[in-house]
Amino acid sequence: MFFASDNSGPVPPQVLEAMTRANAGHVAGYGADDLTLSVTRRLRDLFEAPEAAVYLVPTGTAANVLSLACLCPPYATVFCSPTAHIHEDECNAPEFFTGGAKLTLVGDSDRMTPETLRAAIEGEETRGVHGPKRGPVSITQLTERGNVYSIDELRALTSVAKEYGLPVHLDGARFANAAVRLGVTPAEMSWKAGVDICVFGGTKNGLMGVEAVLIFDTAARSSSEAVALQHKAAEFEYRRKRGALLFSKHRYLAAQMDAYLTDTLWHDLASRANARCDQLVQGLKGAGLRIVNDTHANMVFFEMSRGAHRAVMAQGADYHLWDSEDGPDESLAVARLVCDWSLSPEQVAQFLDLVRAAA
Amino acid sequence: MFFASDNSGPVPPQVLEAMTRANAGHVAGYGADDLTLSVTRRLRDLFEAPEAAVYLVPTGTAANVLSLACLCPPYATVFCSPTAHIHEDECNAPEFFTGGAKLTLVGDSDRMTPETLRAAIEGEETRGVHGPKRGPVSITQLTERGNVYSIDELRALTSVAKEYGLPVHLDGARFANAAVRLGVTPAEMSWKAGVDICVFGGTKNGLMGVEAVLIFDTAARSSSEAVALQHKAAEFEYRRKRGALLFSKHRYLAAQMDAYLTDTLWHDLASRANARCDQLVQGLKGAGLRIVNDTHANMVFFEMSRGAHRAVMAQGADYHLWDSEDGPDESLAVARLVCDWSLSPEQVAQFLDLVRAAA
Amino acid sequence: MFFASDNSGPVPPQVLEAMTRANAGHVAGYGADDLTLSVTRRLRDLFEAPEAAVYLVPTGTAANVLSLACLCPPYATVFCSPTAHIHEDECNAPEFFTGGAKLTLVGDSDRMTPETLRAAIEGEETRGVHGPKRGPVSITQLTERGNVYSIDELRALTSVAKEYGLPVHLDGARFANAAVRLGVTPAEMSWKAGVDICVFGGTKNGLMGVEAVLIFDTAARSSSEAVALQHKAAEFEYRRKRGALLFSKHRYLAAQMDAYLTDTLWHDLASRANARCDQLVQGLKGAGLRIVNDTHANMVFFEMSRGAHRAVMAQGADYHLWDSEDGPDESLAVARLVCDWSLSPEQVAQFLDLVRAAA
Amino acid sequence: MFFASDNSGPVPPQVLEAMTRANAGHVAGYGADDLTLSVTRRLRDLFEAPEAAVYLVPTGTAANVLSLACLCPPYATVFCSPTAHIHEDECNAPEFFTGGAKLTLVGDSDRMTPETLRAAIEGEETRGVHGPKRGPVSITQLTERGNVYSIDELRALTSVAKEYGLPVHLDGARFANAAVRLGVTPAEMSWKAGVDICVFGGTKNGLMGVEAVLIFDTAARSSSEAVALQHKAAEFEYRRKRGALLFSKHRYLAAQMDAYLTDTLWHDLASRANARCDQLVQGLKGAGLRIVNDTHANMVFFEMSRGAHRAVMAQGADYHLWDSEDGPDESLAVARLVCDWSLSPEQVAQFLDLVRAAA
């Protein structure tokens, strides 16, 4: 009954098998091996983006901050939700990799809206050089509070960004879970919705530690901007190396992604995790408990008395309270449950039994 | 016949087996899992350093630059050889992670001497705040030109550093190969020789991508400096996260290192690679060819006519010329051969046959 | 009738006279001249801080960000008001000079309170290395919205900081105006109130471009922390040079500060500016207009219809609307009036006449 | 008899007069005042560059490092002489402002040659992303060892840079002294010779602390690169503010530059300083002493016994030995003499008398 995180479960056997297959003979290092080249092509196919620059990096933070560094000069500001991973969970890595850019927090919830985004953008670059220049808009899909933007909502945000000429970064650490929930293709949830640089997460969805970054040729419609894509790609490669994030034995990153792309494993793993979350939501609602996030994929935030939480945890359920741990038994507290691909329906059922007994 | 690099071969089966064993159930992320804790203890034991702070990172560059960032303020300078990996092969990562420190190149060869090091140190911090403050001394063992410092040579360098109160970093990407060559223990080649922060490389010696960093309590003899170790350890942890280098699924780094430490695998792999290099050196000398590096572990630089190199490469030997590729057939060119653990004696013999035929 | 800023007026004749006096013969550069040494002593005397490290820098932003860089590692966060100059008006300079630290905005007004500060501090360093480490508290006195903290209010804030072991920076760009308003000494408004590094502004109070930074020996009560002061002072000097902010012809900075300290010029200039502001406040209140800032020194924010503002500006009054310029004549808009030392009572009276006619 | 530096003398009366004239009434801040606009136009006229972007900054280091930051991404390297001010005398400011770029030292003397420059350029960007990308070429005119590049020599260097597509920065801290020596116009010694960004120094030639930076439209011949100039200019403005280097009371910088441009004061001051240096060189040669720099403007390096140096210094001559201060009286040591505009022929003659008596 482990719901504390989706980066704590095992990887599926296909991943280890692919790594084992890749473990033969000598191959070129630093991403010049055939497997990496093949995976690059497969990612372009998956995203219907034949010209995209594609890179593999080992952590989600790496994927985010290398992307932002290519989009945001040090004297600019990134627009993001106050709950964004780049703001709350990356220990100033965005500030570090951009060389000192700022993060402007948009609105006061996990979901930006066109209105809150526009207000935040309007608030910057109004004081000449005294405040930061407007920089990229960073959207997290799904959000750190478990919500999924619809395609229309994504488009509405990227439209505002485009209106101001600002590029769009998508933090897709849980890209697969969101795409499965929406029933859309990767292309529909990225460049077709106005995203310029997309992180296609693997680590939270069953890989050991690989994220793909796709730099789209969305700007390539005019010749001068085509140069921009080429420039960003070169810049990404230098920044990845300079960030100590270029693997010499790159084939082991590629092998994981290869398994992920084979037989739509990425989709299957996310479907499993989402199904467990559906089961949870249904069960919690059935128990009369309040669900905090109104949409969900593989994460649910729900409210229950601290006493009940304590009873459930005491019997082996592993998850975090989002509100303070302290407080009387009868006080309400929100908890976060995250499902990874490896959870079984039985584990979820067992957890729901505990909740029903405690609530 | 692959001699181009020691980061292009496969990993030994023990590594994959350990990763497979580790791939079960849910465990805490970010290094709080039992396997990481166990590996930390084992590394402390191996280095006879019960108080050392120990960290795992995925690349050699990461290990080096996080270490240097903890030792070198942005207004200081690192002393290193002009052939050091941190200068030639890390694309400004030391400058990036230190926040803009400088590298002062010591002497004009791969091996620093007490004399060249002293001269370089004396040359800095002579102009008040106009030049950089003196910072750490970074030693590469074995060097990028294939040479091994003796323990006496290491001690002579660290003594100079201590004389000026400067901390010492050891880039041990090929630590195992050097220790095997010298027949010394890890402790003897690190803190007992005056090293303050040591990189214990795994990636070039058979792991997929793991390096250990050990911060020793060498400074802990007085109470005020004991604080320093604690402070450096905390700083390393923040810098690792901020550098996008903290793995959430840390167990897969730990599993590799666990295999490495079991049954002295690290020592056996390096012994194998060194033995292949011995075989090469003996064969090349037998063929009357000049060996450039006067000591060696798993790398040899040798001189042969370009025509002969071309003939050997044309028959499938994979390695790099260190001098320019261009030049007439009869001109001499130095080549680098690097042996990894997976080379067989037969492959080396086959290569030597080609050389003898061509030379 | 210029109320747009206090950095747009002329300097008093004493400043130019002091610069002219200093303009004789050859003297040592970079702050080693006698005049700089004398000014250093005089500042220590003024602040009753015989051990303080004292530096002159040319801009207020320089004074703030060099101070913060000495107090805040790149993986930490600075606590400040959302209206702080360091957040709104320094184009990411704090992020730049600290090497990528974050700013955590405290509360939602220009004045932090012990409660909002405590809440902000409690919100950070709760996620291990995932979020930033807690860093310095930065207080602006007087605030960018024209308010003055009382000594008790200052003490309450610094007490919270001390409780968490956090150092305190005071942005005193308008230090003199605040001290005059409170009727306290520089020592009372700085280290006696718990400030560790204080900016004593000159530029907004009649100098061409000089701010003093004082690093107090507040931490010097134990021997180990005495080292800290020495260390911070050395660090400041390196950072000032590295920041391209060390003047070679330092005597011209020192001469300005020398004039400022002579015959309490700093106090007189601030008294004049504050008196003009009092006159404004009285007049505006008399005209039945709402004053927004409930305390004031040399700045007042007041509300009037846009039509009236337009009429007043059309007759030559120079100031900024704080709210949007756009809107119908009958809509209310807040304006900022700032008084510098050079304004005459007649100019203020003339402005008030215009206001009364328009309001 | 002060020859230690050209930043230790007084400013000419015209400078103080211009500052006094500028000290009237309220004017817009941050460079939006009429005097700054006028000075901008005058600098464009002087450099025959009607489209150039022109900025004033307070220190030579600021002028250099802001320029380099606009030309050099953090993953690139700047090519410069090992004696360049940016390498030896700016305490890592170039590394800081570029965000961690490297400096590649060209050759082993103060003067780069096309051959040494080409060799240094060829040595970088040969290792893919492992080494830094090639960045700008930085030329110092006159050099830190007192030598002047001829226009042909400058052109030869910039031609090599252009061949590789690299931009050229000119550190002109002593631009006036060099231009006077060569008898050329500012345009001839800058953009007409292939310079893209030029620092026109004032501080070492009689101003209190002002340098102009000119960003030329040399790249503007094609429409896409015309955008580049515009982009660089905007970038410079953001970087200047972010660097804490934008003066609010900008008129006092502009006033100094205004005096400098009036009645060719800049040229007259440099002519005076150069004439004193000619007098020195003639006298030293007449005394049979060896001159080290084979060309000169306002600096001369000469060799004399340490005993003689000691005798001369004991009688009041103020200058620095370039070699170590230590050594027996009879040993030779090189000294640096720098002439500023304010030295009189009598002071030089008096010094030469002392030398002749001691040598």
Side-chain angles (χ1 to χ4, degrees):
Chain A
M1 293 182 296
F2 190 97
F3 303 99
S5 171
D6 43 3
N7 58 32
S8 294
V11 305
Q14 296 94 317
V15 172
L16 272 164
E17 286 158 17
M19 295 173 84
T20 305
R21 271 197 309 278
N23 191 45
H26 290 84
V27 301
Y30 301 106
D33 58 290
D34 290 342
L35 191 55
T36 298
L37 298 177
S38 156
V39 160
T40 298
R41 282 191 300 270
R42 295 182 73 180
L43 281 163
R44 285 183 183 136
D45 288 349
L46 178 66
F47 277 83
E48 306 166 38
E51 307 296 334
V54 176
Y55 302 105
L56 302 182
V57 293
T59 70
T61 296
N64 285 335
V65 297
L66 289 173
S67 299
L68 291 174
C70 290
L71 297 178
C72 190
Y75 42 83
T77 190
V78 177
F79 297 95
C80 67
S81 154
T83 70
H85 199 268
I86 58 170
H87 176 60
E88 292 217 310
D89 295 297
E90 301 187 352
C91 193
N92 302 0
E95 288 85 353
F96 177 37
F97 278 75
T98 57
K102 196 183 271 292
L103 271 57
T104 295
L105 306 182
V106 175
D108 55 6
S109 85
D110 59 326
R111 274 179 291 194
M112 300 188 286
T113 65
E115 292 70 32
T116 57
L117 178 57
R118 182 183 301 278
I121 293 172
E122 285 285 332
E124 299 291 3
E125 211 174 299
T126 57
R127 304 182 297 284
V129 299
H130 297 274
K133 191 170 146 68
R134 292 166 181 158
V137 174
S138 177
I139 305 173
T140 311
Q141 170 78 319
L142 59 112
T143 78
E144 294 290 320
R145 295 299 178 270
N147 286 307
V148 190
Y149 289 105
S150 71
I151 294 295
D152 281 350
E153 286 170 334
L154 282 182
R155 277 181 193 281
L157 292 175
T158 63
S159 292
V160 173
K162 302 303 176 206
E163 200 179 311
Y164 292 92
L166 306 179
V168 176
H169 160 254
L170 189 80
D171 175 354
R174 296 186 179 95
F175 187 99
N177 301 97
V180 163
R181 173 60 66 211
L182 294 178
V184 297
T185 66
E188 286 167 343
M189 209 173 82
S190 58
W191 65 269
K192 288 185 178 174
V195 171
D196 296 296
I197 295 194
C198 178
V199 177
F200 179 60
T203 313
K204 289 183 190 297
N205 191 33
L207 301 189
M208 285 188 185
V210 186
E211 314 278 307
V213 175
L214 294 102
I215 309 180
F216 297 116
D217 53 343
T218 45
R221 282 143 210 166
S222 73
S223 62
S224 71
E225 286 163 325
V227 177
L229 171 69
Q230 197 176 8
H231 179 70
K232 289 301 173 204
E235 182 172 346
F236 192 96
E237 295 186 33
Y238 276 111
R239 288 189 181 274
R240 177 174 56 168
K241 173 67 191 176
R242 188 180 79 117
L245 289 159
L246 175 61
F247 269 52
S248 57
K249 298 186 175 175
H250 204 272
R251 60 170 135 176
Y252 301 107
L253 295 186
Q256 295 179 58
M257 187 53 72
D258 194 52
Y260 201 54
L261 298 179
T262 300
D263 298 333
T264 65
L265 180 62
W266 68 273
H267 198 275
D268 294 356
L269 295 173
S271 300
R272 284 212 221 182
N274 286 4
R276 293 299 80 75
C277 191
D278 288 346
Q279 186 184 352
L280 274 175
V281 167
Q282 203 167 7
L284 294 168
K285 282 185 172 167
L289 296 167
R290 188 171 77 86
I291 304 298
V292 176
N293 48 328
D294 57 33
T295 62
H296 69 273
N298 74 323
M299 263 198 289
V300 56
F301 290 73
F302 78 105
E303 201 174 53
M304 189 164 71
S305 74
R306 278 188 174 76
H309 283 304
R310 285 163 187 160
V312 171
M313 288 177 174
Q315 294 192 266
D318 199 339
Y319 63 94
H320 296 304
L321 290 196
W322 216 245
D323 298 336
S324 165
E325 304 260 332
D326 300 328
D329 269 5
E330 62 277 16
S331 63
L332 289 174
V334 170
R336 184 184 81 158
L337 304 176
V338 195
C339 301
D340 80 306
W341 70 275
S342 75
L343 279 176
S344 66
E346 293 71 28
Q347 288 171 315
V348 173
Q350 186 186 354
F351 172 78
L352 289 171
D353 286 346
L354 293 178
V355 165
R356 275 185 291 261
Chain B
M1 294 182 297
F2 190 97
F3 302 100
S5 171
D6 43 2
N7 58 31
S8 294
V11 305
Q14 295 94 317
V15 173
L16 273 164
E17 287 158 17
M19 294 173 83
T20 305
R21 270 196 311 278
N23 191 46
H26 290 84
V27 302
Y30 303 106
D33 58 290
D34 291 341
L35 191 55
T36 297
L37 297 177
S38 157
V39 159
T40 299
R41 281 191 301 269
R42 296 182 74 180
L43 281 163
R44 285 182 183 137
D45 288 348
L46 178 66
F47 277 82
E48 305 166 38
E51 306 297 332
V54 177
Y55 301 104
L56 303 182
V57 294
T59 70
T61 296
N64 285 335
V65 298
L66 289 173
S67 299
L68 291 174
C70 291
L71 298 178
C72 191
Y75 43 83
T77 190
V78 177
F79 297 95
C80 67
S81 154
T83 71
H85 199 269
I86 58 170
H87 176 59
E88 292 217 309
D89 296 297
E90 301 187 351
C91 192
N92 301 0
E95 288 86 352
F96 177 38
F97 278 75
T98 57
K102 196 183 272 292
L103 272 56
T104 296
L105 306 182
V106 176
D108 56 7
S109 85
D110 60 326
R111 274 178 291 193
M112 300 188 287
T113 66
E115 292 72 32
T116 57
L117 178 56
R118 183 183 301 279
I121 294 172
E122 285 286 330
E124 300 290 4
E125 211 173 301
T126 58
R127 303 182 298 283
V129 299
H130 297 274
K133 191 170 146 69
R134 291 165 182 159
V137 174
S138 176
I139 304 174
T140 312
Q141 170 77 320
L142 58 112
T143 77
E144 294 289 322
R145 294 298 177 272
N147 286 305
V148 190
Y149 288 104
S150 71
I151 295 295
D152 281 351
E153 287 170 334
L154 283 182
R155 277 180 194 282
L157 293 175
T158 63
S159 292
V160 173
K162 302 303 176 205
E163 201 178 309
Y164 292 93
L166 306 179
V168 176
H169 160 254
L170 189 80
D171 175 354
R174 297 187 178 95
F175 187 99
N177 301 96
V180 163
R181 174 59 68 211
L182 294 178
V184 298
T185 66
E188 285 166 345
M189 208 172 83
S190 57
W191 65 271
K192 289 184 177 174
V195 171
D196 297 297
I197 295 194
C198 178
V199 177
F200 179 59
T203 312
K204 289 185 190 296
N205 192 32
L207 300 188
M208 285 188 185
V210 185
E211 315 278 306
V213 175
L214 294 103
I215 309 180
F216 296 116
D217 53 344
T218 45
R221 283 145 209 165
S222 73
S223 61
S224 71
E225 287 162 325
V227 177
L229 171 70
Q230 198 175 8
H231 180 70
K232 291 300 174 203
E235 183 173 346
F236 192 96
E237 295 186 32
Y238 277 111
R239 289 189 181 274
R240 177 174 55 169
K241 173 67 190 177
R242 188 180 79 118
L245 290 158
L246 176 60
F247 269 52
S248 56
K249 298 186 174 175
H250 204 271
R251 60 171 137 176
Y252 301 107
L253 295 186
Q256 295 179 56
M257 187 52 73
D258 194 52
Y260 201 54
L261 298 178
T262 299
D263 298 333
T264 66
L265 180 63
W266 68 274
H267 199 276
D268 293 357
L269 295 172
S271 300
R272 284 213 220 183
N274 286 3
R276 293 298 81 75
C277 191
D278 288 347
Q279 186 185 351
L280 274 175
V281 167
Q282 203 168 7
L284 294 168
K285 281 185 173 167
L289 296 168
R290 188 171 77 86
I291 304 298
V292 176
N293 48 328
D294 57 32
T295 61
H296 70 273
N298 73 323
M299 263 199 288
V300 56
F301 290 73
F302 78 105
E303 200 175 54
M304 190 165 70
S305 74
R306 279 189 173 75
H309 283 305
R310 285 163 187 159
V312 171
M313 288 176 174
Q315 295 192 264
D318 200 339
Y319 63 94
H320 296 304
L321 289 196
W322 215 246
D323 299 335
S324 164
E325 304 259 332
D326 301 328
D329 269 4
E330 61 277 17
S331 63
L332 289 174
V334 169
R336 184 184 79 157
L337 304 176
V338 195
C339 301
D340 81 306
W341 71 275
S342 76
L343 280 176
S344 67
E346 292 71 27
Q347 288 171 315
V348 173
Q350 187 186 354
F351 172 78
L352 288 171
D353 285 347
L354 293 179
V355 166
R356 274 185 291 262
Chain C
M1 293 181 295
F2 191 96
F3 303 100
S5 171
D6 43 3
N7 57 31
S8 294
V11 305
Q14 296 95 317
V15 173
L16 273 164
E17 286 158 18
M19 296 172 82
T20 304
R21 271 197 309 277
N23 191 45
H26 290 85
V27 302
Y30 302 106
D33 57 291
D34 291 341
L35 191 56
T36 298
L37 298 177
S38 157
V39 159
T40 299
R41 280 191 302 270
R42 295 181 73 179
L43 281 162
R44 285 182 183 136
D45 288 348
L46 178 66
F47 277 82
E48 305 166 39
E51 306 296 332
V54 177
Y55 302 105
L56 303 183
V57 294
T59 70
T61 296
N64 285 335
V65 297
L66 289 172
S67 299
L68 291 174
C70 290
L71 297 178
C72 190
Y75 42 83
T77 190
V78 177
F79 297 94
C80 67
S81 155
T83 69
H85 198 269
I86 59 170
H87 176 59
E88 293 219 307
D89 295 297
E90 301 187 352
C91 192
N92 302 359
E95 289 85 352
F96 177 38
F97 278 76
T98 57
K102 196 183 271 292
L103 270 58
T104 295
L105 306 183
V106 175
D108 56 6
S109 85
D110 60 327
R111 273 177 293 193
M112 301 188 286
T113 67
E115 293 71 32
T116 58
L117 178 57
R118 182 182 302 278
I121 294 172
E122 284 286 331
E124 299 291 1
E125 210 174 302
T126 58
R127 305 181 298 283
V129 298
H130 297 275
K133 191 169 147 68
R134 292 166 182 157
V137 174
S138 177
I139 304 172
T140 311
Q141 171 77 320
L142 58 114
T143 78
E144 294 290 321
R145 294 299 176 272
N147 286 305
V148 190
Y149 289 104
S150 72
I151 295 295
D152 281 351
E153 287 170 332
L154 282 182
R155 278 181 193 280
L157 293 175
T158 64
S159 292
V160 173
K162 301 304 176 205
E163 200 180 312
Y164 291 92
L166 306 179
V168 176
H169 160 254
L170 188 81
D171 175 353
R174 295 186 179 95
F175 188 98
N177 301 97
V180 163
R181 172 60 66 212
L182 295 178
V184 298
T185 66
E188 285 166 344
M189 209 173 82
S190 58
W191 66 270
K192 288 185 178 175
V195 171
D196 297 297
I197 296 193
C198 179
V199 177
F200 179 59
T203 313
K204 289 184 189 297
N205 191 33
L207 301 188
M208 286 188 185
V210 185
E211 315 278 306
V213 175
L214 294 104
I215 310 180
F216 296 115
D217 53 345
T218 45
R221 282 142 209 167
S222 73
S223 62
S224 71
E225 288 164 325
V227 178
L229 171 69
Q230 198 175 9
H231 179 70
K232 290 302 174 204
E235 183 172 344
F236 192 96
E237 295 185 33
Y238 277 112
R239 289 189 181 275
R240 178 175 54 169
K241 174 66 191 177
R242 188 180 79 117
L245 290 157
L246 176 60
F247 269 51
S248 58
K249 298 187 175 176
H250 204 272
R251 59 170 136 176
Y252 301 107
L253 296 185
Q256 294 179 59
M257 186 53 71
D258 194 51
Y260 201 53
L261 298 178
T262 299
D263 298 333
T264 66
L265 179 63
W266 68 273
H267 199 275
D268 293 354
L269 295 172
S271 299
R272 284 212 220 182
N274 287 4
R276 293 297 82 72
C277 191
D278 288 346
Q279 185 184 352
L280 274 175
V281 168
Q282 203 168 6
L284 294 168
K285 281 185 173 168
L289 296 168
R290 189 173 75 87
I291 304 298
V292 176
N293 49 327
D294 57 31
T295 62
H296 70 274
N298 72 322
M299 264 199 286
V300 57
F301 290 73
F302 77 104
E303 202 174 52
M304 189 164 71
S305 74
R306 279 189 173 76
H309 283 306
R310 285 164 187 157
V312 171
M313 288 176 175
Q315 295 190 263
D318 199 339
Y319 62 94
H320 296 304
L321 289 196
W322 215 245
D323 299 335
S324 164
E325 303 262 332
D326 300 327
D329 268 5
E330 62 276 18
S331 63
L332 290 174
V334 169
R336 184 184 80 158
L337 304 177
V338 195
C339 302
D340 80 307
W341 72 275
S342 75
L343 280 175
S344 66
E346 292 71 27
Q347 288 171 314
V348 172
Q350 185 185 358
F351 171 78
L352 288 171
D353 286 345
L354 293 178
V355 166
R356 274 185 292 262
Chain D
M1 293 181 295
F2 191 97
F3 302 100
S5 171
D6 43 2
N7 57 32
S8 294
V11 305
Q14 295 95 318
V15 173
L16 272 164
E17 286 158 18
M19 294 172 83
T20 305
R21 270 198 308 278
N23 191 45
H26 290 86
V27 302
Y30 302 107
D33 57 291
D34 291 341
L35 191 56
T36 298
L37 297 177
S38 156
V39 159
T40 298
R41 281 191 301 269
R42 296 181 73 180
L43 281 163
R44 286 183 183 136
D45 289 347
L46 178 66
F47 277 83
E48 305 166 38
E51 306 297 331
V54 177
Y55 302 105
L56 303 182
V57 294
T59 71
T61 295
N64 284 335
V65 299
L66 289 173
S67 299
L68 291 173
C70 290
L71 297 178
C72 191
Y75 42 82
T77 190
V78 177
F79 297 95
C80 67
S81 155
T83 70
H85 199 268
I86 59 170
H87 177 59
E88 293 218 309
D89 295 297
E90 301 187 352
C91 194
N92 302 359
E95 290 86 351
F96 177 38
F97 278 76
T98 56
K102 197 183 271 293
L103 271 57
T104 296
L105 306 182
V106 175
D108 56 6
S109 84
D110 60 326
R111 273 178 291 192
M112 301 189 286
T113 67
E115 292 71 32
T116 58
L117 177 57
R118 183 183 300 279
I121 294 172
E122 284 286 331
E124 298 292 3
E125 210 173 301
T126 58
R127 304 183 298 284
V129 298
H130 298 275
K133 191 170 148 68
R134 291 166 182 157
V137 174
S138 176
I139 305 173
T140 312
Q141 171 78 320
L142 58 113
T143 79
E144 294 290 322
R145 295 298 177 272
N147 286 306
V148 189
Y149 289 105
S150 72
I151 295 295
D152 282 350
E153 286 170 334
L154 282 182
R155 278 181 193 280
L157 293 176
T158 64
S159 293
V160 173
K162 301 302 176 208
E163 200 180 310
Y164 292 91
L166 307 179
V168 176
H169 160 254
L170 189 80
D171 175 354
R174 295 186 179 96
F175 187 97
N177 301 96
V180 163
R181 173 59 67 212
L182 295 178
V184 298
T185 66
E188 285 167 344
M189 208 172 82
S190 58
W191 65 270
K192 289 186 177 173
V195 171
D196 296 297
I197 295 193
C198 178
V199 176
F200 178 60
T203 314
K204 288 184 190 296
N205 192 33
L207 301 189
M208 285 189 185
V210 185
E211 314 278 305
V213 175
L214 294 103
I215 310 180
F216 296 116
D217 53 344
T218 45
R221 283 143 208 166
S222 73
S223 61
S224 72
E225 286 163 326
V227 177
L229 171 69
Q230 196 175 10
H231 179 71
K232 290 302 174 202
E235 183 172 346
F236 191 96
E237 295 186 34
Y238 276 111
R239 288 189 181 274
R240 177 174 56 168
K241 173 66 190 177
R242 188 181 78 118
L245 290 157
L246 175 61
F247 269 51
S248 56
K249 297 186 175 175
H250 204 272
R251 60 170 135 175
Y252 301 106
L253 295 185
Q256 295 179 57
M257 186 53 71
D258 194 51
Y260 201 53
L261 298 178
T262 299
D263 299 331
T264 67
L265 179 63
W266 67 274
H267 199 276
D268 293 356
L269 295 173
S271 299
R272 284 213 221 182
N274 286 4
R276 293 297 82 73
C277 191
D278 289 346
Q279 186 185 352
L280 274 175
V281 168
Q282 203 167 5
L284 293 168
K285 280 185 173 165
L289 295 168
R290 188 171 77 85
I291 304 298
V292 176
N293 49 328
D294 56 32
T295 62
H296 70 274
N298 73 322
M299 264 198 286
V300 57
F301 290 73
F302 78 104
E303 202 175 53
M304 189 165 70
S305 74
R306 279 189 174 76
H309 282 305
R310 285 164 188 159
V312 171
M313 288 176 175
Q315 294 191 265
D318 199 339
Y319 62 95
H320 296 304
L321 289 196
W322 214 247
D323 299 335
S324 164
E325 305 260 332
D326 300 327
D329 269 3
E330 62 276 18
S331 63
L332 290 173
V334 169
R336 183 183 81 158
L337 304 176
V338 195
C339 301
D340 79 307
W341 72 275
S342 75
L343 279 176
S344 66
E346 292 71 26
Q347 288 171 316
V348 173
Q350 185 186 357
F351 172 77
L352 288 171
D353 286 345
L354 292 178
V355 166
R356 274 185 291 263

